[in-house]
């Protein structure tokens, strides 16, 4: 006869003893289980508790920082994403998983008493790149072809009052055209090589030109003659731009430096050094970074104009960067190279997105208008029209070579929108100037454009 009686269950007694032992000597936050735990798993749980127990919760200042970043991201994207405050999710409730909750739990790795379908939380929730559907834009079509130059047309600028525009060519002349009718108003001579850069001041009756003859000239538009020369470049000058609020001119070229000039005194203010190859484009704006340059060394540099030094170097491009444009209203800019066209945010130069689908050509020129349309012109005559906000290409085509031109003369060298953003001017290798406009008869149903499809990993560099 048994001492405890026939009703006594030996297994139940052992289980009760095990529960009391676990409550006394087990980890403090592990509750009683309905099933037995292997001793090896208990040892791992105890080690995790002893080594990482103090690191379960993030410091308060980091919690506030993560919450503020999540709130800002939610405001930008219109969707809330809760931030995770726990650095390591230890065993809670009936979950006895021994894995640190840095990644999602693999199938079959749950403990004996855990729920097989439960998944652990992430270390820190990562903001996903939410792709917005682009708005519809009317397709662009050819409006007018202007002839008159005897060489490649390499540069263009539109005057601030939107009455005329100027073009510079490899025939060493600058021609001024009426924007409404396309008629030639004036021809200026003075350079002895191709003219690569033009800019018209919005504060003075001056126009500035730069050429491969190392010369930067200031033209008085009241007398139609050169009144100043800016000497200093050691090689061809490929680009120039005027500061919008200061009497400063910035020119850059094949000598790999950007030179800042005082317009009136012709004195050099700064020599911006740092690029390892020729500078292809330079642009100025009111706020920092006040000067942005792109180079054949595949980098983009943002400059601190007050100090005359580099502020940020962007090395995301893999090939020479030939094209640069600023958005006329937003505090953003875009750069173009054969590998990609990229959009950036000022002032820190943070990457926003790539324009997609890619153009698959050498991008010589970019231009953007206030309606959110960006144009990209290629060395092979390809034309791409993109939605600035989402980066989606809604139209692509090839330019039309002029009569008597070879197919190889389809290259586009320069482009600019007029001040209204309704007309696009392109300068091409067939010695012509073409003006494009949106099709007024197009509708969303008749011309839907290139279909938009969400693309994975759009946020990659």
């Amino acid at each position: 006869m048994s001492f405890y009686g026939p009703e006594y269950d030996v297994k139940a007694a052992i289980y009760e003893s095990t529960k009391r032992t676990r409550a006394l000597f087990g980890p403090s936050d592990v509750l009683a289980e309905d099933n037995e735990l292997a001793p090896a798993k208990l040892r791992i749980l105890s080690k995790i508790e002893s080594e990482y127990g103090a690191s379960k919760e993030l410091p308060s200042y980091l919690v506030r920082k993560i919450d503020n970043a999540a709130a800002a991201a939610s405001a930008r994207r219109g969707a809330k994403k809760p931030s995770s405050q726990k650095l390591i999710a230890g065993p809670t409730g009936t979950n006895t998983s021994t894995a640190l909750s840095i990644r999602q739990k693999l199938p079959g790795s749950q403990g004996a008493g855990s729920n097989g379908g439960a998944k652990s939380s992430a270390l820190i929730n990562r903001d996903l790149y939410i792709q917005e559907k682009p708005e519809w834009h009317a397709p662009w079509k050819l409006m007018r072809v202007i002839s008159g130059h005897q060489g490649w047309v390499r540069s263009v600028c539109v005057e601030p009052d939107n009455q005329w525009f100027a073009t510079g060519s490899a025939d060493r002349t600058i021609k001024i055209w009426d924007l409404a009718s396309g008629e030639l108003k004036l021809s200026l001579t003075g350079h002895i090589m191709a003219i690569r850069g033009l800019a018209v001041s919005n504060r003075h009756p001056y126009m500035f030109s730069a050429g491969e003859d190392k010369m930067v000239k200031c033209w008085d538009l009241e007398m139609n003659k050169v009144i100043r020369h800016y000497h200093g470049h050691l090689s061809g000058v490929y680009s120039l731009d005027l500061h919008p609020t200061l009497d400063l001119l910035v020119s850059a070229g094949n000598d790999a430096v950007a030179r800042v000039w005082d317009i009136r005194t012709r004195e050099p203010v700064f020599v911006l050094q740092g690029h390892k190859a020729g500078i292809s484009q330079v642009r100025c704006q009111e706020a920092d970074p006040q000067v942005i340059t792109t180079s054949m060394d595949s980098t983009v540099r943002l400059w601190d104009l007050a100090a005359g030094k580099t502020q940020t170097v962007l090395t995301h491009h893999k090939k020479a960067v030939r094209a640069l444009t600023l958005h006329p209203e937003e505090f953003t800019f875009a750069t173009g190279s054969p590998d990609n066209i990229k959009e950036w945010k000022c002032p820190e130069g943070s990457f926003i997105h790539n324009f997609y689908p890619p153009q698959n050509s050498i991008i010589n020129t970019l231009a953007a208008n206030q309606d959110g349309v960006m144009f990209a012109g290629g060395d092979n005559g390809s034309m791409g029209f993109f939605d600035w906000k989402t980066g989606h290409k809604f139209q692509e085509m090839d330019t039309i070579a002029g009569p008597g031109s070879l197919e190889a003369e389809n290259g586009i060298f320069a482009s600019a929108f007029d001040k209204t953003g309704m007309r696009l001017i392109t300068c091409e290798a067939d010695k012509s100037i073409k003006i494009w406009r949106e099709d007024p008869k197009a509708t969303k149903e008749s011309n839907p454009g290139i279909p938009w499809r969400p693309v994975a990993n759009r946020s990659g560099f």
Side-chain angles (χ1 to χ4, degrees):
M1 181 177 176
S2 171
F3 180 77
Y4 296 103
E7 297 82 15
Y8 186 79
D9 190 349
V10 177
K11 290 186 176 180
I14 294 175
Y15 179 64
E16 291 295 330
S17 177
T18 303
K19 288 175 63 176
R20 287 195 297 270
T21 303
R22 187 185 303 122
L24 289 173
F25 303 105
S28 58
D29 59 347
V30 176
L31 302 179
E33 304 279 335
D34 292 334
N35 299 319
E36 261 186 272
L37 287 177
K41 293 184 178 180
L42 285 175
R43 285 198 298 272
I44 294 176
L45 285 174
S46 300
K47 184 177 292 188
I48 291 174
E49 176 67 22
S50 61
E51 292 186 4
Y52 302 106
S55 303
K56 281 185 179 181
E57 299 291 335
L58 285 172
S60 59
Y61 74 94
L62 279 180
V63 172
R64 290 194 299 270
K65 186 174 181 181
I66 293 173
D67 288 339
N68 292 338
S74 300
R76 287 196 305 269
R77 295 176 172 84
K80 285 193 174 182
K81 299 182 181 64
S83 61
S84 176
Q85 295 185 6
K86 281 199 172 185
L87 184 62
I88 296 174
T92 57
T94 59
N95 184 7
T96 60
S97 171
T98 62
L100 300 185
S101 299
I102 297 177
R103 294 287 183 267
Q104 289 185 350
K105 201 177 344 181
L106 295 176
S109 63
Q110 66 270 17
S114 62
N115 185 3
K119 292 185 178 180
S120 58
S121 61
L123 176 62
I124 294 178
N125 287 340
R126 180 185 177 188
D127 290 337
L128 298 177
Y129 183 86
I130 301 176
Q131 299 182 40
E132 300 181 28
K133 188 173 182 180
E135 62 174 300
W136 178 80
H137 296 281
W140 290 70
K141 66 176 185 177
L142 184 62
M143 171 185 172
R144 179 180 292 122
V145 179
I146 301 174
S147 301
H149 280 293
Q150 303 301 314
W152 289 352
V153 190
R154 301 304 302 261
S155 55
V156 61
C157 68
V158 181
E159 65 102 11
D161 293 332
N162 212 42
Q163 300 297 317
W164 52 267
F165 67 95
T167 56
S169 170
D171 63 6
R172 303 167 294 179
T173 64
I174 301 171
K175 293 185 181 292
I176 295 178
W177 312 84
D178 185 79
L179 188 57
S181 64
E183 295 179 356
L184 178 64
K185 299 179 69 174
L186 184 67
S187 292
L188 302 173
T189 59
H191 284 279
I192 59 175
M193 293 184 73
I195 297 159
R196 300 290 296 271
L198 289 172
V200 180
S201 174
N202 59 353
R203 305 169 67 236
H204 309 291
Y206 298 150
M207 180 175 68
F208 298 85
S209 62
E212 295 178 359
D213 53 6
K214 313 177 191 176
M215 297 300 299
V216 179
K217 298 177 182 288
C218 175
W219 302 79
D220 189 321
L221 295 176
E222 295 175 346
M223 298 184 292
N224 297 331
K225 68 177 185 179
V226 177
I227 59 172
R228 297 187 187 98
H229 292 85
Y230 301 88
H231 299 278
H233 280 284
L234 305 177
S235 187
V237 187
Y238 293 162
S239 180
L240 60 78
D241 199 17
L242 289 165
H243 196 282
T245 56
L246 304 175
D247 286 340
L248 294 177
L249 169 69
V250 183
S251 59
N254 198 37
D255 54 4
V257 298
R259 298 180 183 270
V260 183
W261 309 90
D262 186 295
I263 290 176
R264 296 188 179 276
T265 65
R266 298 175 292 178
E267 294 294 326
V269 180
F270 288 116
V271 178
L272 306 179
Q273 299 178 337
H275 282 293
K276 301 297 188 294
I279 298 175
S280 55
Q281 294 288 335
V282 60
R283 291 291 181 271
C284 299
Q285 57 184 2
E286 294 184 31
D288 288 330
Q290 297 183 55
V291 179
I292 304 173
T293 57
T294 60
S295 173
M296 308 302 282
D297 62 5
S298 75
T299 65
V300 181
R301 285 182 180 260
L302 315 182
W303 301 88
D304 183 348
L305 188 58
K309 296 181 180 179
T310 301
Q311 176 180 315
T312 307
V313 182
L314 308 177
T315 59
H316 301 63
H317 284 288
K318 304 299 185 294
K319 296 184 179 180
V321 188
R322 298 185 179 214
L324 167 67
T325 187
L326 305 178
H327 193 280
E329 294 179 349
E330 297 180 7
F331 202 33
T332 54
F333 66 97
T335 57
S337 76
D339 58 354
N340 260 314
I341 303 173
K342 300 179 183 292
E343 183 180 341
W344 315 85
K345 183 176 69 173
C346 297
E348 67 276 7
S350 57
F351 174 79
I352 299 178
H353 58 67
N354 289 327
F355 289 85
Y356 192 88
Q359 192 140 331
N360 298 324
S361 66
I362 298 174
I363 305 298
N364 282 334
T365 178
L366 296 174
N369 67 5
Q370 51 267 46
D371 295 329
V373 175
M374 189 191 74
F375 166 77
D379 203 49
N380 59 354
S382 61
M383 304 176 65
F385 293 88
F386 298 83
D387 178 67
W388 181 274
K389 185 176 181 181
T390 62
H392 170 65
K393 184 199 290 184
F394 63 87
Q395 181 185 2
E396 63 178 352
M397 58 182 174
D398 291 330
T399 187
I400 304 168
S405 299
L406 301 175
E407 186 179 354
E409 294 181 321
N410 276 356
I412 301 174
F413 292 123
S415 63
F417 283 97
D418 70 348
K419 298 305 178 182
T420 65
M422 299 174 63
R423 285 170 289 189
L424 172 69
I425 305 168
T426 58
C427 303
E428 307 194 4
D430 62 356
K431 308 173 188 177
S432 70
I433 303 155
K434 295 184 175 67
I435 299 181
W436 311 75
R437 68 171 180 178
E438 289 183 334
D439 187 354
K441 299 180 181 179
T443 63
K444 190 174 182 179
E445 290 74 23
S446 63
N447 298 89
I450 299 176
W452 174 79
R453 295 182 180 88
V455 180
N457 299 326
R458 275 292 307 281
S459 60
F461 294 161

Short mmCIF file of all heavy atoms in Angstrom, two decimals, residues 16-45:
data_model
loop_
_atom_site.label_atom_id
_atom_site.label_comp_id
_atom_site.label_asym_id
_atom_site.label_seq_id
_atom_site.Cartn_x
_atom_site.Cartn_y
_atom_site.Cartn_z
N GLU A 16 4.73 20.24 -9.67
CA GLU A 16 4.58 21.30 -8.68
C GLU A 16 5.93 21.69 -8.11
O GLU A 16 6.23 22.87 -7.88
CB GLU A 16 3.64 20.84 -7.56
CG GLU A 16 2.20 20.68 -7.98
CD GLU A 16 1.58 22.01 -8.38
OE1 GLU A 16 2.00 23.05 -7.83
OE2 GLU A 16 0.71 22.02 -9.27
N SER A 17 6.79 20.70 -7.85
CA SER A 17 8.13 21.00 -7.35
C SER A 17 8.94 21.80 -8.36
O SER A 17 9.68 22.72 -8.01
CB SER A 17 8.85 19.69 -7.00
OG SER A 17 10.18 19.95 -6.57
N THR A 18 8.78 21.43 -9.65
CA THR A 18 9.51 22.17 -10.70
C THR A 18 9.05 23.62 -10.78
O THR A 18 9.85 24.55 -10.95
CB THR A 18 9.28 21.49 -12.06
OG1 THR A 18 9.69 20.12 -11.98
CG2 THR A 18 10.06 22.19 -13.16
N LYS A 19 7.75 23.85 -10.60
CA LYS A 19 7.23 25.22 -10.64
C LYS A 19 7.79 26.04 -9.48
O LYS A 19 8.17 27.21 -9.66
CB LYS A 19 5.70 25.20 -10.58
CG LYS A 19 5.04 24.70 -11.87
CD LYS A 19 3.54 24.58 -11.73
CE LYS A 19 2.91 25.93 -11.46
NZ LYS A 19 1.43 25.81 -11.42
N ARG A 20 7.87 25.44 -8.30
CA ARG A 20 8.42 26.18 -7.16
C ARG A 20 9.91 26.46 -7.35
O ARG A 20 10.40 27.56 -7.04
CB ARG A 20 8.20 25.37 -5.87
CG ARG A 20 6.75 25.37 -5.41
CD ARG A 20 6.64 24.88 -3.97
NE ARG A 20 7.10 23.50 -3.86
CZ ARG A 20 6.30 22.45 -4.00
NH1 ARG A 20 5.03 22.62 -4.30
NH2 ARG A 20 6.80 21.24 -3.88
N THR A 21 10.64 25.53 -7.93
CA THR A 21 12.07 25.73 -8.17
C THR A 21 12.29 26.84 -9.19
O THR A 21 13.18 27.70 -9.02
CB THR A 21 12.71 24.43 -8.70
OG1 THR A 21 12.47 23.38 -7.75
CG2 THR A 21 14.21 24.61 -8.91
N ARG A 22 11.49 26.86 -10.23
CA ARG A 22 11.63 27.90 -11.26
C ARG A 22 11.29 29.27 -10.69
O ARG A 22 11.91 30.28 -11.02
CB ARG A 22 10.72 27.58 -12.43
CG ARG A 22 10.92 28.52 -13.63
CD ARG A 22 9.92 28.26 -14.75
NE ARG A 22 9.98 26.89 -15.21
CZ ARG A 22 8.96 26.05 -15.21
NH1 ARG A 22 7.79 26.46 -14.77
NH2 ARG A 22 9.11 24.82 -15.65
N ALA A 23 10.26 29.32 -9.81
CA ALA A 23 9.88 30.60 -9.23
C ALA A 23 10.97 31.15 -8.31
O ALA A 23 11.18 32.36 -8.22
CB ALA A 23 8.58 30.45 -8.45
N LEU A 24 11.71 30.23 -7.66
CA LEU A 24 12.76 30.68 -6.74
C LEU A 24 14.06 31.03 -7.45
O LEU A 24 14.71 32.04 -7.14
CB LEU A 24 13.02 29.59 -5.70
CG LEU A 24 11.92 29.38 -4.66
CD1 LEU A 24 12.24 28.16 -3.80
CD2 LEU A 24 11.79 30.61 -3.78
N PHE A 25 14.48 30.23 -8.43
CA PHE A 25 15.82 30.35 -9.00
C PHE A 25 15.84 30.76 -10.47
O PHE A 25 16.92 31.00 -11.03
CB PHE A 25 16.58 29.02 -8.86
CG PHE A 25 16.67 28.54 -7.43
CD1 PHE A 25 15.88 27.51 -7.00
CD2 PHE A 25 17.55 29.15 -6.56
CE1 PHE A 25 15.96 27.07 -5.69
CE2 PHE A 25 17.64 28.72 -5.26
CZ PHE A 25 16.84 27.68 -4.79
N GLY A 26 14.67 30.82 -11.13
CA GLY A 26 14.65 31.18 -12.55
C GLY A 26 14.75 32.70 -12.75
O GLY A 26 14.80 33.46 -11.77
N PRO A 27 14.82 33.18 -14.03
CA PRO A 27 14.83 34.63 -14.32
C PRO A 27 13.60 35.31 -13.74
O PRO A 27 12.51 34.72 -13.67
CB PRO A 27 14.83 34.69 -15.85
CG PRO A 27 15.37 33.36 -16.28
CD PRO A 27 14.93 32.38 -15.24
N SER A 28 13.77 36.56 -13.33
CA SER A 28 12.72 37.25 -12.59
C SER A 28 11.47 37.49 -13.41
O SER A 28 10.38 37.58 -12.87
CB SER A 28 13.25 38.60 -12.09
OG SER A 28 13.68 39.39 -13.17
N ASP A 29 11.62 37.69 -14.75
CA ASP A 29 10.46 38.03 -15.57
C ASP A 29 9.94 36.85 -16.37
O ASP A 29 9.17 37.00 -17.29
CB ASP A 29 10.78 39.18 -16.52
CG ASP A 29 11.93 38.84 -17.45
OD1 ASP A 29 12.60 37.83 -17.17
OD2 ASP A 29 12.15 39.57 -18.43
N VAL A 30 10.35 35.62 -16.05
CA VAL A 30 9.83 34.43 -16.72
C VAL A 30 8.72 33.84 -15.87
O VAL A 30 8.95 33.49 -14.71
CB VAL A 30 10.95 33.39 -16.95
CG1 VAL A 30 10.36 32.12 -17.55
CG2 VAL A 30 12.01 33.97 -17.85
N LEU A 31 7.53 33.75 -16.38
CA LEU A 31 6.39 33.23 -15.64
C LEU A 31 6.32 31.71 -15.76
O LEU A 31 7.01 31.09 -16.56
CB LEU A 31 5.11 33.87 -16.19
CG LEU A 31 5.08 35.40 -16.13
CD1 LEU A 31 3.77 35.91 -16.74
CD2 LEU A 31 5.23 35.89 -14.70
N ALA A 32 5.47 31.14 -14.95
CA ALA A 32 5.32 29.69 -14.96
C ALA A 32 4.74 29.23 -16.29
O ALA A 32 3.89 29.89 -16.88
CB ALA A 32 4.40 29.26 -13.82
N GLU A 33 5.21 28.11 -16.77
CA GLU A 33 4.80 27.57 -18.05
C GLU A 33 3.92 26.34 -17.84
O GLU A 33 3.94 25.71 -16.78
CB GLU A 33 6.04 27.17 -18.87
CG GLU A 33 7.03 28.28 -19.10
CD GLU A 33 6.59 29.17 -20.23
OE1 GLU A 33 5.83 28.67 -21.08
OE2 GLU A 33 6.98 30.33 -20.26
N ASP A 34 3.16 26.02 -18.85
CA ASP A 34 2.36 24.80 -18.80
C ASP A 34 3.18 23.57 -19.19
O ASP A 34 2.76 22.46 -18.93
CB ASP A 34 1.17 24.93 -19.75
CG ASP A 34 0.19 25.98 -19.24
OD1 ASP A 34 0.17 26.21 -18.01
OD2 ASP A 34 -0.52 26.57 -20.08
N ASN A 35 4.31 23.78 -19.82
CA ASN A 35 5.16 22.67 -20.24
C ASN A 35 6.55 22.83 -19.64
O ASN A 35 6.96 23.92 -19.25
CB ASN A 35 5.26 22.62 -21.77
CG ASN A 35 3.89 22.41 -22.41
OD1 ASN A 35 3.10 21.62 -21.92
ND2 ASN A 35 3.62 23.14 -23.48
N GLU A 36 7.29 21.74 -19.61
CA GLU A 36 8.65 21.77 -19.09
C GLU A 36 9.57 22.48 -20.05
O GLU A 36 9.42 22.38 -21.26
CB GLU A 36 9.15 20.34 -18.87
CG GLU A 36 9.04 19.88 -17.43
CD GLU A 36 9.68 18.53 -17.24
OE1 GLU A 36 8.98 17.54 -17.44
OE2 GLU A 36 10.88 18.49 -16.93
N LEU A 37 10.56 23.26 -19.50
CA LEU A 37 11.59 23.89 -20.32
C LEU A 37 12.87 23.10 -20.20
O LEU A 37 13.23 22.63 -19.11
CB LEU A 37 11.82 25.33 -19.84
CG LEU A 37 10.73 26.35 -20.17
CD1 LEU A 37 11.10 27.68 -19.56
CD2 LEU A 37 10.55 26.48 -21.65
N ALA A 38 13.56 23.00 -21.28
CA ALA A 38 14.85 22.30 -21.27
C ALA A 38 15.84 23.12 -20.44
O ALA A 38 15.83 24.36 -20.47
CB ALA A 38 15.35 22.11 -22.68
N PRO A 39 16.71 22.47 -19.69
CA PRO A 39 17.70 23.21 -18.88
C PRO A 39 18.59 24.12 -19.71
O PRO A 39 18.95 25.22 -19.26
CB PRO A 39 18.51 22.09 -18.21
CG PRO A 39 17.59 20.91 -18.20
CD PRO A 39 16.76 21.02 -19.43
N ALA A 40 18.93 23.72 -20.94
CA ALA A 40 19.78 24.56 -21.79
C ALA A 40 19.08 25.87 -22.11
O ALA A 40 19.69 26.94 -22.09
CB ALA A 40 20.13 23.80 -23.07
N LYS A 41 17.78 25.82 -22.38
CA LYS A 41 17.06 27.04 -22.69
C LYS A 41 16.95 27.95 -21.46
O LYS A 41 17.01 29.17 -21.56
CB LYS A 41 15.68 26.71 -23.23
CG LYS A 41 15.70 26.02 -24.59
CD LYS A 41 14.31 25.80 -25.13
CE LYS A 41 14.36 25.15 -26.52
NZ LYS A 41 13.02 24.91 -27.07
N LEU A 42 16.78 27.34 -20.30
CA LEU A 42 16.74 28.15 -19.07
C LEU A 42 18.07 28.85 -18.83
O LEU A 42 18.11 30.02 -18.41
CB LEU A 42 16.39 27.26 -17.88
CG LEU A 42 14.93 26.83 -17.78
CD1 LEU A 42 14.75 25.85 -16.63
CD2 LEU A 42 14.04 28.05 -17.57
N ARG A 43 19.16 28.15 -19.11
CA ARG A 43 20.47 28.78 -18.93
C ARG A 43 20.65 29.96 -19.88
O ARG A 43 21.18 31.02 -19.50
CB ARG A 43 21.57 27.74 -19.16
CG ARG A 43 21.74 26.75 -18.03
CD ARG A 43 23.10 26.05 -18.11
NE ARG A 43 23.22 25.28 -19.35
CZ ARG A 43 22.82 24.01 -19.47
NH1 ARG A 43 22.26 23.37 -18.44
NH2 ARG A 43 22.97 23.38 -20.61
N ILE A 44 20.19 29.80 -21.15
CA ILE A 44 20.31 30.90 -22.11
C ILE A 44 19.46 32.09 -21.67
O ILE A 44 19.87 33.25 -21.76
CB ILE A 44 19.91 30.42 -23.51
CG1 ILE A 44 20.91 29.39 -24.01
CG2 ILE A 44 19.83 31.59 -24.49
CD1 ILE A 44 20.54 28.77 -25.34
N LEU A 45 18.23 31.81 -21.18
CA LEU A 45 17.37 32.89 -20.71
C LEU A 45 18.00 33.64 -19.55
O LEU A 45 17.96 34.88 -19.48
CB LEU A 45 16.01 32.33 -20.30
CG LEU A 45 15.05 31.94 -21.43
CD1 LEU A 45 13.81 31.27 -20.85
CD2 LEU A 45 14.67 33.16 -22.23
#
